[in-house]
Coordinates of all heavy atoms in Angstrom, one line a residue:
T224 N -5.2 22.7 46.4 CA -6.1 22.1 45.4 C -6.5 23.1 44.3 O -6.6 22.8 43.2 CB -7.3 21.4 46.1 OG1 -6.8 20.5 47.1 CG2 -8.2 20.7 45.1
K225 N -6.8 24.3 44.8 CA -7.3 25.3 43.8 C -6.2 25.6 42.8 O -6.5 26.0 41.6 CB -7.5 26.7 44.6 CG -8.8 26.7 45.3 CD -8.9 28.1 46.0 CE -10.1 28.2 46.9 NZ -10.1 29.5 47.7
R226 N -4.9 25.4 43.2 CA -3.8 25.7 42.3 C -3.4 24.4 41.5 O -2.4 24.4 40.8 CB -2.6 26.2 43.1 CG -2.8 27.6 43.6 CD -1.9 27.9 44.8 NE -2.0 29.3 45.1 CZ -3.0 29.9 45.9 NH1 -4.0 29.1 46.3 NH2 -3.0 31.2 46.1
G227 N -4.2 23.4 41.5 CA -3.9 22.2 40.8 C -2.9 21.3 41.4 O -2.3 20.4 40.7
I228 N -2.5 21.5 42.6 CA -1.5 20.7 43.3 C -2.2 19.6 44.0 O -3.2 19.8 44.8 CB -0.7 21.6 44.3 CG1 0.1 22.6 43.4 CG2 0.3 20.7 45.1 CD1 0.9 23.6 44.3
C229 N -1.7 18.4 43.8 CA -2.2 17.2 44.5 C -1.8 17.2 46.0 O -0.6 17.3 46.3 CB -1.7 15.9 43.8 SG -2.0 14.4 44.7
V230 N -2.7 17.0 46.9 CA -2.4 16.9 48.3 C -2.5 15.4 48.7 O -3.5 14.7 48.4 CB -3.4 17.7 49.1 CG1 -3.2 17.5 50.6 CG2 -3.3 19.2 48.8
S231 N -1.4 15.0 49.4 CA -1.3 13.6 49.8 C -1.2 13.6 51.3 O -0.6 14.5 52.0 CB -0.1 13.0 49.2 OG 0.0 11.6 49.5
L232 N -1.8 12.6 51.9 CA -1.9 12.5 53.4 C -0.8 11.5 53.8 O -0.8 10.4 53.3 CB -3.3 12.0 53.8 CG -4.5 12.8 53.3 CD1 -5.8 12.3 53.8 CD2 -4.3 14.3 53.6
G233 N 0.0 11.9 54.8 CA 1.1 10.9 55.2 C 1.9 11.5 56.4 O 1.7 12.6 56.8
H234 N 2.7 10.6 56.9 CA 3.5 10.9 58.1 C 2.5 11.6 59.2 O 2.7 12.7 59.6 CB 4.6 11.8 57.8 CG 5.7 11.1 57.1 ND1 6.7 10.4 57.7 CD2 6.0 11.0 55.7 CE1 7.5 9.8 56.8 NE2 7.1 10.2 55.6
S235 N 1.5 10.8 59.6 CA 0.4 11.4 60.2 C -0.2 10.5 61.3 O -0.1 9.2 61.2 CB -0.7 11.7 59.2 OG -2.0 11.9 59.7
V236 N -0.8 11.1 62.3 CA -1.6 10.3 63.3 C -3.0 10.6 63.2 O -3.8 10.5 64.1 CB -1.1 10.6 64.8 CG1 0.3 10.1 65.0 CG2 -1.2 12.1 65.1
A237 N -3.5 11.0 62.0 CA -4.9 11.3 61.8 C -5.8 10.1 62.0 O -5.4 9.0 61.6 CB -5.1 11.9 60.4
N238 N -7.0 10.4 62.6 CA -8.0 9.4 62.6 C -8.8 9.4 61.3 O -8.6 10.2 60.4 CB -8.9 9.5 63.8 CG -9.6 10.9 63.9 OD1 -10.0 11.4 62.8 ND2 -9.8 11.4 65.1
L239 N -9.7 8.5 61.2 CA -10.5 8.4 59.9 C -11.3 9.6 59.6 O -11.3 10.1 58.5 CB -11.4 7.1 59.9 CG -12.2 6.9 58.6 CD1 -11.3 6.9 57.4 CD2 -13.1 5.7 58.8
S240 N -11.9 10.2 60.6 CA -12.7 11.4 60.3 C -11.9 12.5 59.9 O -12.3 13.3 59.0 CB -13.6 11.7 61.5 OG -12.8 12.1 62.6
Q241 N -10.7 12.7 60.4 CA -9.8 13.8 60.0 C -9.3 13.5 58.6 O -9.2 14.4 57.7 CB -8.6 13.8 60.9 CG -9.0 14.4 62.3 CD -7.8 14.2 63.3 OE1 -7.1 13.2 63.3 NE2 -7.6 15.2 64.2
A242 N -9.1 12.3 58.2 CA -8.6 11.9 56.9 C -9.8 12.1 55.9 O -9.6 12.7 54.8 CB -8.2 10.5 56.8
E243 N -11.0 11.8 56.3 CA -12.1 12.0 55.4 C -12.4 13.5 55.2 O -12.7 13.9 54.0 CB -13.4 11.3 56.0 CG -13.3 9.8 55.9 CD -14.5 9.1 56.7 OE1 -14.9 9.7 57.7 OE2 -14.8 8.0 56.4
E244 N -12.2 14.3 56.2 CA -12.4 15.7 56.1 C -11.4 16.3 55.1 O -11.7 17.1 54.2 CB -12.3 16.4 57.4 CG -12.5 17.9 57.4 CD -12.3 18.6 58.7 OE1 -12.1 17.9 59.7 OE2 -12.4 19.8 58.7
A245 N -10.2 15.8 55.2 CA -9.1 16.2 54.2 C -9.5 15.9 52.8 O -9.3 16.7 51.9 CB -7.8 15.6 54.6
V246 N -10.0 14.7 52.6 CA -10.4 14.3 51.2 C -11.6 15.2 50.8 O -11.6 15.6 49.6 CB -10.8 12.8 51.2 CG1 -11.5 12.5 49.9 CG2 -9.6 12.0 51.4
Q247 N -12.5 15.5 51.7 CA -13.6 16.4 51.3 C -13.1 17.8 50.9 O -13.8 18.5 50.1 CB -14.6 16.4 52.4 CG -15.4 15.1 52.6 CD -16.0 14.9 54.0 OE1 -15.9 15.8 54.8 NE2 -16.5 13.7 54.2
H248 N -12.0 18.2 51.4 CA -11.4 19.5 51.1 C -10.5 19.4 49.9 O -10.0 20.4 49.4 CB -10.7 20.1 52.3 CG -11.5 20.6 53.4 ND1 -11.5 20.2 54.7 CD2 -12.5 21.5 53.3 CE1 -12.4 20.8 55.4 NE2 -13.0 21.6 54.6
G249 N -10.3 18.2 49.3 CA -9.5 18.1 48.1 C -8.4 17.1 48.0 O -7.8 16.9 47.0
A250 N -8.0 16.6 49.2 CA -6.9 15.6 49.1 C -7.2 14.4 48.3 O -8.4 13.9 48.4 CB -6.5 15.2 50.6
T251 N -6.3 13.8 47.5 CA -6.6 12.7 46.7 C -5.6 11.6 46.8 O -5.7 10.6 46.0 CB -6.6 13.2 45.2 OG1 -5.4 13.8 44.9 CG2 -7.8 14.1 44.9
F252 N -4.6 11.6 47.6 CA -3.5 10.6 47.6 C -3.2 10.3 49.1 O -3.4 11.1 50.0 CB -2.3 11.2 46.9 CG -1.3 10.2 46.5 CD1 -1.6 8.9 46.1 CD2 0.1 10.5 46.5 CE1 -0.6 8.0 45.7 CE2 1.1 9.6 46.2 CZ 0.7 8.3 45.8
I253 N -2.6 9.1 49.3 CA -2.1 8.7 50.5 C -0.6 8.3 50.3 O -0.3 7.5 49.4 CB -2.8 7.5 51.1 CG1 -4.3 7.8 51.3 CG2 -2.2 7.1 52.5 CD1 -5.1 6.6 51.6
T254 N 0.3 8.9 51.1 CA 1.7 8.7 50.9 C 2.1 7.4 51.6 O 1.8 7.2 52.8 CB 2.6 9.8 51.5 OG1 2.3 11.0 50.7 CG2 4.1 9.5 51.4
H255 N 2.8 6.5 50.9 CA 3.2 5.1 51.3 C 2.3 4.6 52.4 O 2.6 4.5 53.5 CB 4.7 5.1 51.7 CG 5.2 6.2 52.5 ND1 4.7 6.6 53.7 CD2 6.3 6.9 52.3 CE1 5.4 7.5 54.2 NE2 6.4 7.8 53.4
L256 N 1.1 4.1 51.9 CA 0.1 3.5 52.8 C 0.8 2.5 53.8 O 1.7 1.7 53.4 CB -0.9 2.7 51.9 CG -2.1 2.1 52.7 CD1 -3.0 3.2 53.1 CD2 -2.8 1.1 51.9
F257 N 0.3 2.5 55.0 CA 0.7 1.7 56.2 C 2.0 2.2 56.8 O 2.2 2.0 58.0 CB 0.9 0.2 55.8 CG -0.3 -0.5 55.3 CD1 -0.3 -1.1 54.1 CD2 -1.4 -0.5 56.1 CE1 -1.4 -1.8 53.6 CE2 -2.6 -1.2 55.7 CZ -2.6 -1.8 54.4
N258 N 2.9 2.9 56.0 CA 4.1 3.4 56.6 C 3.9 4.8 57.1 O 3.4 5.6 56.4 CB 5.2 3.3 55.6 CG 5.6 1.9 55.2 OD1 5.4 1.5 54.0 ND2 6.1 1.1 56.1
A259 N 4.4 5.1 58.3 CA 4.4 6.4 58.9 C 3.0 6.9 59.1 O 2.7 8.1 58.8 CB 5.2 7.4 58.1
M260 N 2.1 6.1 59.6 CA 0.7 6.5 59.9 C 0.3 5.5 61.0 O 0.9 4.5 61.3 CB -0.2 6.4 58.7 CG -0.4 5.1 58.1 SD -1.3 5.2 56.5 CE -0.3 6.3 55.5
L261 N -0.9 5.9 61.7 CA -1.4 5.0 62.7 C -1.7 3.6 62.1 O -2.3 3.6 61.0 CB -2.7 5.6 63.3 CG -2.5 6.8 64.2 CD1 -3.9 7.3 64.7 CD2 -1.6 6.5 65.4
P262 N -1.4 2.5 62.8 CA -1.8 1.2 62.3 C -3.3 1.0 62.2 O -4.0 1.7 63.0 CB -1.1 0.3 63.2 CG -1.0 1.0 64.5 CD -0.7 2.5 64.1
F263 N -3.8 0.2 61.3 CA -5.2 -0.1 61.2 C -5.7 -0.6 62.6 O -5.1 -1.4 63.2 CB -5.4 -1.1 60.2 CG -6.9 -1.6 60.0 CD1 -7.7 -0.9 59.2 CD2 -7.4 -2.6 60.8 CE1 -9.1 -1.3 59.0 CE2 -8.7 -3.0 60.7 CZ -9.5 -2.4 59.8
H264 N -6.9 0.0 63.0 CA -7.6 -0.5 64.2 C -9.0 -0.6 63.8 O -9.6 0.3 63.2 CB -7.4 0.5 65.4 CG -7.9 -0.1 66.7 ND1 -9.2 -0.1 67.0 CD2 -7.2 -0.6 67.7 CE1 -9.4 -0.6 68.2 NE2 -8.2 -1.0 68.6
H265 N -9.7 -1.7 64.3 CA -11.0 -1.9 63.9 C -12.0 -0.9 64.3 O -13.1 -0.8 63.7 CB -11.5 -3.3 64.3 CG -11.4 -3.5 65.8 ND1 -10.2 -3.7 66.5 CD2 -12.4 -3.6 66.7 CE1 -10.5 -3.9 67.8 NE2 -11.8 -3.8 68.0
R266 N -11.7 -0.1 65.4 CA -12.7 0.9 65.8 C -12.4 2.2 65.2 O -13.3 3.1 65.0 CB -12.7 1.0 67.3 CG -13.5 -0.1 68.0 CD -13.8 0.2 69.5 NE -12.6 0.1 70.3 CZ -12.2 -1.1 70.8 NH1 -12.8 -2.2 70.6 NH2 -11.1 -1.1 71.6
D267 N -11.2 2.5 64.8 CA -10.8 3.7 64.0 C -9.7 3.3 63.1 O -8.5 3.3 63.6 CB -10.5 4.8 64.9 CG -10.4 6.1 64.2 OD1 -10.1 6.1 62.9 OD2 -10.7 7.2 64.7
P268 N -10.0 3.0 61.9 CA -8.9 2.5 61.0 C -7.9 3.6 60.5 O -7.0 3.3 59.8 CB -9.7 1.9 59.8 CG -11.0 2.7 59.8 CD -11.3 2.9 61.2
G269 N -8.1 4.9 60.9 CA -7.2 5.9 60.5 C -7.2 6.2 59.0 O -8.2 5.9 58.3
I270 N -6.1 6.7 58.5 CA -6.0 7.0 57.1 C -6.2 5.7 56.2 O -6.8 5.8 55.1 CB -4.6 7.6 56.8 CG1 -4.5 9.0 57.4 CG2 -4.3 7.6 55.3 CD1 -3.2 9.7 57.2
V271 N -5.8 4.6 56.8 CA -6.0 3.3 56.0 C -7.5 3.1 55.7 O -7.9 2.6 54.6 CB -5.5 2.1 56.8 CG1 -5.8 0.8 56.1 CG2 -4.0 2.3 57.1
G272 N -8.4 3.6 56.5 CA -9.8 3.5 56.3 C -10.3 4.2 55.1 O -11.5 3.9 54.6
L273 N -9.6 5.1 54.5 CA -10.0 5.8 53.3 C -10.2 4.8 52.2 O -11.0 5.1 51.2 CB -9.0 6.9 52.9 CG -8.9 8.1 53.8 CD1 -7.8 9.0 53.3 CD2 -10.3 8.9 53.8
L274 N -9.6 3.7 52.2 CA -9.7 2.7 51.1 C -11.1 2.2 50.9 O -11.5 1.8 49.8 CB -8.7 1.5 51.3 CG -7.3 1.7 50.7 CD1 -6.6 2.9 51.3 CD2 -6.5 0.5 50.8
T275 N -11.9 2.2 52.0 CA -13.2 1.7 51.9 C -14.2 2.7 52.5 O -15.4 2.3 52.8 CB -13.4 0.3 52.6 OG1 -13.0 0.4 54.0 CG2 -12.5 -0.8 52.0
S276 N -13.8 3.9 52.7 CA -14.7 4.9 53.3 C -15.9 5.2 52.4 O -15.8 5.2 51.1 CB -14.0 6.2 53.5 OG -14.9 7.3 53.8
D277 N -17.1 5.4 53.0 CA -18.3 5.8 52.3 C -18.5 7.3 52.3 O -19.6 7.7 51.9 CB -19.5 5.0 52.8 CG -19.8 5.3 54.3 OD1 -19.0 6.1 54.9 OD2 -20.8 4.8 54.9
K278 N -17.5 8.0 52.7 CA -17.6 9.5 52.8 C -16.7 10.2 51.8 O -16.5 11.4 51.9 CB -17.4 10.0 54.2 CG -18.4 9.5 55.2 CD -18.2 10.1 56.6 CE -19.4 9.8 57.5 NZ -19.7 8.4 57.6
I279 N -16.3 9.4 50.7 CA -15.5 10.1 49.7 C -16.5 10.8 48.7 O -17.5 10.2 48.3 CB -14.7 9.0 48.9 CG1 -13.9 8.1 49.8 CG2 -13.9 9.6 47.8 CD1 -12.9 8.9 50.6
P280 N -16.3 12.0 48.4 CA -17.2 12.7 47.5 C -17.5 12.0 46.2 O -16.6 11.3 45.7 CB -16.5 14.1 47.2 CG -15.6 14.3 48.4 CD -15.2 12.9 48.8
A281 N -18.7 12.1 45.7 CA -19.1 11.4 44.5 C -18.1 11.8 43.3 O -17.8 13.0 43.2 CB -20.5 11.7 44.1

Side-chain angles (χ1 to χ4, degrees):
T224 303
K225 282 181 191 175
R226 289 160 173 78
I228 294 172
C229 167
V230 175
S231 188
L232 311 180
H234 288 277
S235 165
V236 293
N238 59 34
L239 178 57
S240 63
Q241 289 170 323
E243 288 171 333
E244 182 181 358
V246 171
Q247 289 156 9
H248 284 124
T251 55
F252 194 39
I253 301 170
T254 295
H255 44 53
L256 185 75
F257 297 124
N258 295 113
M260 61 186 61
L261 290 179
F263 176 89
H264 190 280
H265 59 285
R266 281 193 288 275
D267 192 332
I270 289 177
V271 177
L273 289 175
L274 271 61
T275 56
S276 171
D277 59 358
K278 293 184 170 56
I279 306 301

